[in-house]
Amino acid sequence: MEGTDAMKLAVALIVLLPLAGFIVTLVFGKRMGTRAHVLPVALVTATAVLAVYAFEWVFRHQEEPFVWDAFTWLVAGRYEVTWGFQVDTLTGVMLLVVGIIGMLVHYYSIGYMHGDGGYYRFFAYLNLFMFAMFVLILANNFLLLFLGWEGVGLCSYLLIAFWFPKKTASQAGKKAFLVNRVGDFGFTLGMLLIFVTTGTLQFAGVFDKAEMIGAGTLLWICLLLFTGAIGKSAQFPLHVWLPDAMEGPTPVSALIHAATMVNAGVYMVARSYPLFMHSNTAMLVVMVVGTFTAIYAAYIAITQNDIKKVIAYSTVSSLGFMFMALGAGAWAAGIFYLFAHGFFKGLLFLCSGSVIHAMGGEQDMRKMGGLRTRIPVTFWTMMVGAVALIGVFPFAGFWAKDEILFADFTHHYYVVWVVGVVTAFLTAVFAFRMMFMTFFGESRADAEVQAHVHESPKVMTIPLVLLAIPAAALGVVVGWPPEEGWIHTFLEPVFFDVEHEEFAWLGTGGALMAFSLVVALVGVYVAYVMYLKRRELPAQLAARVPWAYQASLRKMYMDEVYEVAPIRSTIAFSNWLWTGFDVLVIDGIVNGLARLWDWVGAALRQLQTGRVQNYAFGIFAGMLALVIVVGCIWGV
């Protein structure tokens, strides 16, 4: 359905306003000094309002999505690619997440980045990211989606390495960029295979032909697309870039690496639902990778001491939960968790930034403690985020997470359900380990740091409060009653023909929810005993099973594996290309030709004697040879 002129204008402005903010701020921002944030923040606020308007429009037209081919982008023979937009119910959910959280992060950044030398650059990059992310979620074809996909990857690199004089930051930016290239290569091959198979990259055209694609071809298309999602959404084994991305400023972690960009892989798989639903093997792969990543990342998070890395591994685990849901066929539950996760995980990252701000840049939880009375707003809002994360009734994570576990159980994926329950337990342990080490007990910070601990300014704390509200209440508002809530019916036009078990409070559904809640509370109690009541226990446990402790602390040795396999092998191959091929073969050919002509020149140089009689003899000999040759020719 073609949308109204007002909707066209809204969608166009959603895309163009952040782009304009980026260009103007990058060119003139340095002259603006401390007011460089004014334009990008104002424009992203307007964009958020327009995103809400677009959501409201699609809310009223759930069965008739807005489709608009703005102009022809590329032409190759009979094939055309349009710069086209599509706003359906799935897009509407993503617009709320990206628009609202993006706006709040911009306001938070005013206080967090105050006084930074690259202040204007930071806000310019944030606006560029918003432009790319909106292109990604509004696109109505794979090629335009891929443009936004690569755009958010570029912004991720720019913002992770924002403090580029710091070596760890510049290396983390390069690591994120290179690892994502692996996933993006798979995505590119998937798009090419889609085009070769269907003759189009428009979502509508591709999805209409999904049933006619051969099983083997369809499986490869899905696996290649999922490879891109593994890289962008930090799933095993391409997850290694996201924890290191914490080297960037905390607002970057909240916006890009918790609430929006890392969700792009989940969104892309959900958008490609008509393809995946026809390949059981592809669905199984998605579920297995997501399930393993969820428990793997949760296990690592238990021993991390950097407050941002704890939340980073929590994000990797949560993304695994989302893929677990999609692979099990619980599409609405997976997007429900994405929706809720964006708010409470963005809240946790911004709260961690407030803690770091209060501690003068300190991120090690072993040097914190006793902060709950010193920074009360940060403490209470972060508590809301932690409780929502672990899934305590009635906070947002409770409804979203338990629907995923319910779907796994009722679809008879019992092993997946068990892994999910264990992951929920580990999540409760590491989340409240973080809370207890940071806010409870006595302060372990230096006296100088303690003297300067203070609550963050209102420009930072107000976004925390605003994010805490949906983190607490969103699950009840959009997910009640389970499996039949507003978000489920809202997403039905996108995820058509999806079967799910009816939820029964007095049956399996209620029992599973109660059991999951008990598991979470037990995890909180375990964290309380180990990190508040008997603090010697973690060291004793680490000494008793050092192999398990070291495996978690050293991130399952994945950095070492990458160092040995792809990195050193690539360097060795590059050295061989340099010394064995470039120097010996290429340089050898060039240098050999030079030596050949040097030898020829040296030989011919002997003819230059300076004696006239020698030259006369040469002329005579040449004439004689010419006469003989001509005579032979005539004789023939």
Side-chain angles (χ1 to χ4, degrees), residues 105 108-114 122 163 246 248-255 258 306-312 344-365 368 371 375 377-379 381-382 434-435 438-439 452-457 459-461 463-464 467:
V105 168
Y108 178 93
S109 300
I110 297 172
Y112 192 88
M113 299 301 293
H114 178 72
F122 184 79
W163 289 319
M246 299 305 106
T250 301
V252 175
S253 305
L255 178 62
D306 185 319
I307 188 171
K308 287 176 64 176
K309 287 196 175 181
V310 173
I311 305 174
F344 66 69
K345 192 58 64 67
L347 171 63
L348 285 172
F349 266 117
L350 293 186
C351 285
S352 72
S354 184
V355 171
I356 296 167
H357 182 269
M359 294 293 293
E362 182 59 66
Q363 297 184 199
D364 193 333
M365 296 186 299
M368 297 180 186
L371 293 176
I375 47 175
V377 176
T378 301
F379 165 67
T381 52
M382 195 165 189
M434 175 182 67
M435 295 300 296
T438 302
F439 294 102
H452 293 88
V453 172
H454 59 283
E455 184 62 272
S456 299
V459 74
M460 294 174 64
T461 56
L464 301 184
L467 282 173

Side-chain angles (χ1 to χ4, degrees), residues 354-608:
S354 184
V355 171
I356 296 167
H357 182 269
M359 294 293 293
E362 182 59 66
Q363 297 184 199
D364 193 333
M365 296 186 299
R366 292 171 296 184
K367 298 180 182 179
M368 297 180 186
L371 293 176
R372 72 182 187 279
T373 57
R374 307 287 298 276
I375 47 175
V377 176
T378 301
F379 165 67
W380 285 111
T381 52
M382 195 165 189
M383 180 63 76
V384 170
V387 173
L389 169 66
I390 69 173
V392 172
F393 178 88
F395 290 79
F398 172 77
W399 307 98
K401 179 202 69 177
D402 282 272
E403 282 198 13
I404 295 174
L405 295 177
F406 174 75
D408 293 332
F409 190 89
T410 55
H411 285 81
H412 309 296
Y413 298 120
Y414 299 120
V415 174
V416 174
W417 176 79
V418 170
V419 174
V421 169
V422 174
T423 302
F425 170 76
L426 295 177
T427 301
V429 174
F430 73 67
F432 273 82
R433 170 182 178 265
M434 175 182 67
M435 295 300 296
F436 292 139
M437 289 182 68
T438 302
F439 294 102
F440 290 81
E442 295 186 5
S443 176
R444 298 175 294 278
D446 297 336
E448 183 179 350
V449 174
Q450 291 187 45
H452 293 88
V453 172
H454 59 283
E455 184 62 272
S456 299
K458 288 185 178 180
V459 74
M460 294 174 64
T461 56
I462 290 176
L464 301 184
V465 175
L466 293 176
L467 282 173
I469 295 171
L474 188 66
V476 176
V477 173
V478 307
W480 175 270
E483 294 291 342
E484 299 293 338
W486 166 82
I487 195 167
H488 306 88
T489 56
F490 185 68
L491 291 172
E492 278 182 1
V494 176
F495 303 127
F496 54 87
D497 196 28
V498 174
E499 298 179 0
H500 61 83
E501 296 289 332
E502 182 178 349
F503 185 91
W505 280 105
L506 298 178
T508 304
L512 290 176
M513 274 195 166
F515 179 71
S516 178
L517 178 59
V518 170
V519 167
L521 295 177
V522 170
V524 173
Y525 179 73
V526 169
Y528 166 74
V529 172
M530 295 185 69
Y531 298 101
L532 201 59
K533 190 175 182 180
R534 297 183 59 189
R535 296 179 183 173
E536 73 280 2
L537 282 180
Q540 293 175 1
L541 184 61
R544 186 168 297 179
V545 283
W547 57 271
Y549 171 74
Q550 288 296 324
S552 175
L553 183 66
R554 298 181 64 176
K555 311 165 191 176
M556 297 297 287
Y557 305 100
M558 280 303 297
D559 285 339
E560 288 82 353
V561 170
Y562 272 88
E563 179 71 26
V564 171
I567 297 177
R568 289 187 184 176
S569 60
T570 301
I571 292 174
F573 180 64
S574 299
N575 285 332
W576 177 84
L577 287 177
W578 169 38
T579 59
F581 187 76
D582 189 43
V583 174
L584 294 181
V585 179
I586 298 177
D587 289 353
I589 292 173
V590 174
N591 294 333
L593 288 173
R595 294 191 187 96
L596 173 63
W597 291 112
D598 182 61
W599 177 83
V600 171
L604 294 176
R605 194 180 302 120
Q606 302 300 318
L607 300 177
Q608 296 285 358

Side-chain angles (χ1 to χ4, degrees), residues 23-24 57 86 273 319 324 328 423 488 500 546 554 581 602 623:
I23 295 172
V24 174
W57 190 95
Q86 172 178 314
Y273 150 79
L319 291 164
M324 180 196 302
T423 302
H488 306 88
H500 61 83
R554 298 181 64 176
F581 187 76
M623 290 296 295

Side-chain angles (χ1 to χ4, degrees), residues 69 73-74 76 78-86 138-147 186-209 213 221 225 268 271-272 275:
D69 289 328
W73 181 22
L74 297 173
R78 293 181 299 173
Y79 176 66
E80 292 185 356
V81 179
T82 60
W83 190 285
F85 302 109
Q86 172 178 314
L138 288 167
N140 71 352
N141 62 79
F142 280 102
L143 192 60
L144 186 57
L145 183 151
F146 188 68
L147 176 67
F187 192 1
T188 304
L189 293 179
M191 286 196 302
L192 292 174
L193 188 54
I194 287 173
F195 178 71
V196 169
T197 305
T198 65
T200 182
L201 290 174
Q202 298 289 125
F203 291 152
V206 173
F207 299 156
D208 287 344
K209 298 177 182 179
I213 301 175
I221 288 174
L225 292 179
M268 185 268 288
R271 174 59 70 196
S272 305
L275 297 175

